[in-house]
């Protein structure tokens, strides 16, 4: 299990103003990016290594 103590969560700029259906990311953890649903802050969290996250963001920017 990944330790997310100290994660600083921020709302994704892609979430927009849609009544709370938002994605939050924490990018302040060494070598790790965490993603969660803002409506379920104690629910599951997806984690990615920094290289995989960068590849994902680059690939989705063209969409």
């Amino acid at each position: 299990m990944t330790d997310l103590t100290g994660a600083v969560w921020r709302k994704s700029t892609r979430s927009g103003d849609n009544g709370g259906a938002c994605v939050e990311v924490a990018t302040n953890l060494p070598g790790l990016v965490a993603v969660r649903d803002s409506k379920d802050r104690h629910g599951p969290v997806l984690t990615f290594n920094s290289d995989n996250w960068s590849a994902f963001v680059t690939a989705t920017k063209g969409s």
Side-chain angles (χ1 to χ4, degrees), residues 28-47:
N28 68 307
L29 303 167
L32 180 75
V33 176
V35 182
R36 71 180 181 187
D37 181 349
S38 65
K39 296 180 307 305
D40 189 9
R41 292 184 174 172
H42 299 290
V45 175
L46 299 174
T47 57

Side-chain angles (χ1 to χ4, degrees), residues 5-62:
T5 303
V8 177
W9 296 96
R10 64 178 174 80
K11 180 179 165 184
S12 170
T13 56
R14 295 285 188 168
S15 291
D17 184 23
N18 54 13
C22 302
V23 172
E24 294 179 324
V25 296
T27 57
N28 68 307
L29 303 167
L32 180 75
V33 176
V35 182
R36 71 180 181 187
D37 181 349
S38 65
K39 296 180 307 305
D40 189 9
R41 292 184 174 172
H42 299 290
V45 175
L46 299 174
T47 57
F48 302 89
N49 72 42
S50 298
D51 291 338
N52 288 345
W53 181 254
S54 293
F56 170 75
V57 170
T58 298
T60 57
K61 280 185 179 180

